[in-house]
């Protein structure tokens, strides 16, 4: 008879700070883009963007994302991660293309996490 293992919940922000000493200097400059499934709705996803430099107005970026990607979004203040942008749906690829095409970030400055 096989044993049933208890699956632990997944924290998408856990790897952001874990093991920082293993990464080369300057990796804190990455912009982290994550996708996570929302608990309350089956199939609904949420895309979060964190660690954007303070040179950019995050509320204006969310406003541009909402218009360009036809989704809903907001900026929240997280006690540990600072200002985090949240967008409705799977926007990982479109956000990466937006950052690269507009020159806001280079490909090697973006780190995508999730499924």
């Amino acid at each position: 008879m096989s044993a049933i293992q208890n699956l632990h919940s997944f924290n998408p922000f856990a790897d952001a700070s874990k093991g920082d000493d293993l990464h080369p200097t300057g990796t804190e400059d990455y912009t982290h883009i994550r996708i996570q499934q929302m608990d309350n709705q089956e199939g609904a996803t949420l895309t979060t963007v964190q660690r954007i430099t303070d040179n950019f107005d995050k509320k204006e970026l969310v406003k541009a994302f909402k218009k360009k990607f036809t989704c809903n979004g907001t900026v929240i203040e997280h006690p540990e991660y600072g200002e985090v942008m949240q967008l409705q749906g799977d926007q990982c690829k479109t956000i990466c293309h937006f950052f690269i095409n507009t020159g806001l970030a280079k490909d090697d400055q973006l780190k995508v996490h999730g499924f």
Side-chain angles (χ1 to χ4, degrees):
M1 188 167 185
S2 65
I4 298 174
Q5 295 180 350
N6 186 9
L7 300 177
H8 300 286
S9 64
F10 173 72
N11 182 359
F13 294 106
D15 62 345
S17 60
K18 184 171 67 172
D20 282 342
D21 55 338
L22 301 176
H23 298 294
T25 306
T27 56
E28 61 274 357
D29 295 334
Y30 283 121
T31 297
H32 295 274
I33 302 168
R34 292 182 170 81
I35 182 169
Q36 57 191 35
Q37 190 164 358
M38 296 172 60
D39 294 332
N40 58 354
Q41 296 177 339
E42 186 175 323
T45 57
L46 181 71
T47 303
T48 60
V49 183
Q50 76 178 67
R51 290 192 179 170
I52 295 179
T53 62
D54 291 333
N55 299 342
F56 304 115
D57 184 3
K58 291 163 189 68
K59 290 184 180 183
E60 288 297 318
L61 278 174
V62 167
K63 186 176 176 181
F65 291 154
K66 288 167 62 173
K67 186 172 184 178
K68 184 158 181 79
F69 308 143
T70 59
C71 66
N72 199 3
T74 188
V75 177
I76 63 163
E77 184 65 37
H78 192 275
E80 186 176 347
Y81 305 111
E83 288 185 314
V84 177
M85 295 189 299
Q86 292 182 334
L87 297 167
Q88 180 185 21
D90 182 0
Q91 305 295 338
C92 290
K93 290 181 183 177
T94 52
I95 288 175
C96 288
H97 290 300
F98 182 87
F99 276 122
I100 293 168
N101 292 339
T102 57
L104 296 176
K106 296 178 184 173
D107 188 33
D108 59 349
Q109 295 173 323
L110 301 174
K111 193 166 266 221
V112 179
H113 307 272
F115 47 89

